[in-house]
């Protein structure tokens, strides 16, 4: 194994160069959820491709039915381990600009933190991986592993085109492992390794009423779609909060190795109670039960309900009522089957004027015994100086299934940003220290992965 000290010194000596280039990256408002930003998304894809090319990585931009996918391939060595690095260049809308302390697309440094939309989610974190390759090559030349890079532009809208793109380009993207840095480290500051994500089925229920809003004086004779929607929602769970849809809880729980990892997670649930400030949350519940449910058990959540005028009173029988439901799926569950069971259940209620539509993706979990996991843990121990935390799974969802189930390159998720990065919120930020450590960690992966036998 080569010593990484010279690489780390090179990285430290190029901090200002990294900041300058990252600032140019985040200045591009590549907001995927809003169509008015479509040209900026295209510009950002070209910028990402040029950034990879400057590092000596052969790169191409592929158009999809949605936003472009950028794929880079370093010099390949037959018979050596192949690592695919995944990230995204699209960002969330900035929201209310008055809630920001500085322009979200003009990065600013305050107290050692870079403030800008997308700097943590995900531009700064994928930037860390790209610059790590550049630094490694500058010191030691081409590494003894194969590296591929893929940046997509639809992660913030559900990675709609990603599965189809990967299925079409399996040979191009073929790899032994997929590395993904997004989200944030543990609230304690300890590093995290995340090995699984729940699946998701996002459902919209629409209940039609009169053709137009009607004055509420007619409510005694004209049925209100909100009451119908209320009946639907009230029927979905029993008095104990269990979902009534048949087969909803048919999922695979954790194995003993995963349970051991769960038992090693910091167990002070009062941290969550302080964060959420909900009278309905019981911080005295057994923490192993808490994390097992969080990581594995399916959920049915109502995220938004809409009817009439949500900003104030409006004395009407509304023309329609809608709600958006997200169903998180445990391992072994099929998102399409769950959607079909959901629709069948709603249809069986016999309520008129109801339509249901939805999309989804399956859960995916990487084995804790995958040969790339142990070196990742060693690298994080060295970089942070503390024991990493393993999350066998996460309650959220994302494109793990694309890599695990379609490509066959299991995903290992290693966040670099801090727990208070404010991703998706005003004043999103990324500490300079975290950026620099992320580049060093990624460079160390390049060296240590060369010894892995997939």
């Amino acid at each position: 194994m080569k010593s990484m000290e010279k690489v780390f010194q090179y990285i430290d000596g190029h901090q200002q160069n990294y900041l300058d280039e990252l600032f140019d990256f985040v200045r591009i408002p590549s907001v995927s959820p809003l169509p008015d930003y479509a040209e900026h998304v295209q510009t950002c894809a070209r910028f990402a491709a040029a950034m990879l090319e400057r590092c000596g990585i052969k790169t191409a931009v592929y158009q999809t039915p949605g936003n472009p996918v950028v794929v880079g391939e370093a010099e390949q060595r037959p018979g050596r381990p192949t690592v695919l690095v995944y990230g995204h260049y699209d960002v969330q809308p900035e929201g209310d600009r008055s809630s920001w302390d500085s322009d979200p697309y003009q990065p600013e440094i305050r107290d050692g933190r870079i403030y800008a939309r997308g700097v943590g989610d995900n531009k700064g974190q994928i930037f860390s991986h790209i610059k790590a390759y550049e630094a490694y090559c500058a010191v030691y030349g081409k590494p003894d592993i194969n590296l591929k890079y893929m940046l997509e532009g639809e992660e913030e809208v559900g990675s709609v085109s990603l599965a189809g793109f990967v299925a079409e380009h399996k040979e191009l993207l073929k790899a032994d492992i997929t590395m993904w840095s997004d989200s944030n480290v543990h609230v304690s500051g300890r590093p995290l390794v995340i090995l699984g994500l729940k699946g998701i089925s996002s459902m919209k229920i629409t209940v039609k009423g009169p053709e137009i809003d009607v004055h509420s004086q007619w409510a005694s004779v004209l049925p209100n779609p909100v009451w119908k929607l209320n009946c639907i929602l009230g029927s979905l769970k029993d008095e104990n909060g269990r979902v009534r849809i048949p087969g909803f809880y048919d999922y695979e729980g954790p194995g003993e190795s995963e349970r051991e990892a769960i038992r090693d997670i910091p167990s002070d649930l009062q941290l969550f109670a302080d964060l959420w400030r909900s009278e309905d949350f019981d911080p005295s519940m057994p923490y192993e039960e808490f994390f097992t449910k969080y990581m594995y058990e399916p959920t049915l959540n109502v995220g938004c309900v809409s009817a009439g005028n949500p900003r104030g009173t409006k004395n009407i029988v509304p023309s329609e009522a809608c709600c958006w439901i997200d169903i998180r799926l445990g391992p072994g569950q099929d998102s399409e089957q769950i959607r079909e069971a959901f629709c069948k259940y709603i249809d069986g209620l016999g309520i008129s004027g109801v339509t249901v539509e939805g999309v989804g993706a399956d859960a995916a979990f990487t084995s804790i015994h995958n040969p790339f996991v142990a070196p990742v843990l060693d690298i994080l121990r060295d970089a942070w100086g503390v024991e990493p935390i393993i999350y066998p799974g996460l309650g959220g969802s994302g494109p793990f299934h694309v890599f695990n189930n379609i490509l066959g390159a299991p995903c290992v998720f290693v966040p670099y940003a801090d727990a208070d990065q404010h991703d998706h919120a005003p004043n999103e930020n990324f500490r300079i220290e975290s950026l620099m450590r992320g580049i060093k960690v990624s460079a160390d992966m390049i060296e240590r992965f060369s010894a892995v036998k997939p």
Side-chain angles (χ1 to χ4, degrees), residues 376-437:
V376 168
L377 295 173
D378 289 339
I379 292 165
L380 298 183
R381 285 189 194 99
D382 291 345
W384 267 265
V386 295
E387 187 66 20
I389 298 169
I390 299 175
Y391 272 21
L394 203 65
S397 304
F400 252 56
H401 69 286
V402 173
F403 306 106
N404 289 47
N405 303 346
I406 297 175
L407 186 60
C411 198
V412 177
F413 193 127
V414 180
Y416 293 157
D418 299 283
D420 58 352
Q421 67 162 314
H422 296 173
D423 47 336
H424 293 207
N427 296 314
E428 180 178 348
N429 65 86
F430 195 22
R431 281 196 304 153
I432 295 174
E433 179 184 351
S434 299
L435 168 68
M436 299 300 288
R437 179 162 53 194

Side-chain angles (χ1 to χ4, degrees), residues 70-300:
V70 181
V71 177
E73 186 177 62
E75 183 178 309
Q76 300 294 288
R77 296 172 181 257
R80 302 304 299 145
T82 301
V83 179
L84 173 66
V85 178
Y86 163 79
H88 63 95
Y89 63 84
D90 65 319
V91 302
Q92 280 284 321
E94 68 273 15
D96 182 3
R97 289 201 176 209
S98 67
S99 298
W100 287 76
D101 295 332
S102 54
D103 188 320
Y105 299 109
Q106 289 300 323
E108 184 175 295
I109 296 174
R110 300 192 298 274
D111 298 323
R113 293 175 183 258
I114 310 162
Y115 287 85
R117 171 55 88 226
V119 69
D121 183 19
N122 176 242
K123 291 179 178 178
Q125 301 202 56
I126 184 61
F127 178 88
S128 297
H129 283 282
I130 296 167
K131 291 291 127 177
Y133 177 80
E134 180 184 59
Y136 186 97
C137 291
V139 175
Y140 285 126
K142 304 298 183 183
D144 197 25
I145 64 170
N146 301 319
L147 286 158
K148 300 178 181 180
Y149 299 82
M150 179 169 65
L151 287 73
E152 67 149 321
E154 296 181 329
E155 196 274 346
E156 298 294 3
V157 290
S159 300
V160 181
S161 304
L162 187 63
F165 177 83
V166 171
E168 279 185 40
H169 298 86
K170 281 187 178 181
E171 193 58 36
L172 172 68
L173 300 169
K174 185 178 179 182
D176 298 304
I177 195 74
T178 302
M179 295 303 304
W180 179 10
S181 294
D182 203 335
S183 189
N184 50 262
V185 301
H186 191 262
V187 67
S188 66
R190 288 169 60 185
L192 269 178
V193 176
I194 299 165
L195 297 176
L197 292 176
K198 285 181 176 178
I200 188 169
S201 283
S202 299
M203 315 296 295
K204 180 184 179 182
I205 301 175
T206 303
V207 184
K208 296 298 294 182
E211 186 174 348
I212 59 172
D213 294 347
V214 175
H215 195 289
S216 63
Q217 66 179 314
W218 301 104
S220 59
V221 294
L222 181 61
N224 188 316
V226 176
W227 294 118
K228 291 184 177 182
L229 181 60
N230 185 55
C231 289
I232 294 170
L233 295 179
S235 76
L236 288 171
K237 291 189 174 184
D238 64 21
E239 61 276 8
N240 297 314
R242 299 284 289 179
V243 177
R244 289 192 168 108
I245 298 170
F248 188 83
Y249 293 103
D250 295 343
Y251 70 102
E252 300 168 6
E256 185 52 38
S257 295
E258 287 72 25
R259 289 190 181 278
E260 288 180 10
I262 289 171
R263 287 191 283 268
D264 287 337
I265 296 172
S267 57
D268 184 4
L269 301 187
Q270 188 60 44
L271 292 172
F272 295 97
D274 295 342
L275 178 66
W276 297 330
R277 299 178 186 175
S278 171
E279 295 181 1
D280 294 325
F281 174 64
D282 178 14
S284 67
M285 71 185 296
Y287 81 93
E288 186 174 347
E289 176 189 357
F290 171 88
F291 281 109
T292 301
K293 284 186 173 183
Y294 166 66
M295 295 177 182
Y296 291 89
E297 185 174 280
T299 65
L300 189 152

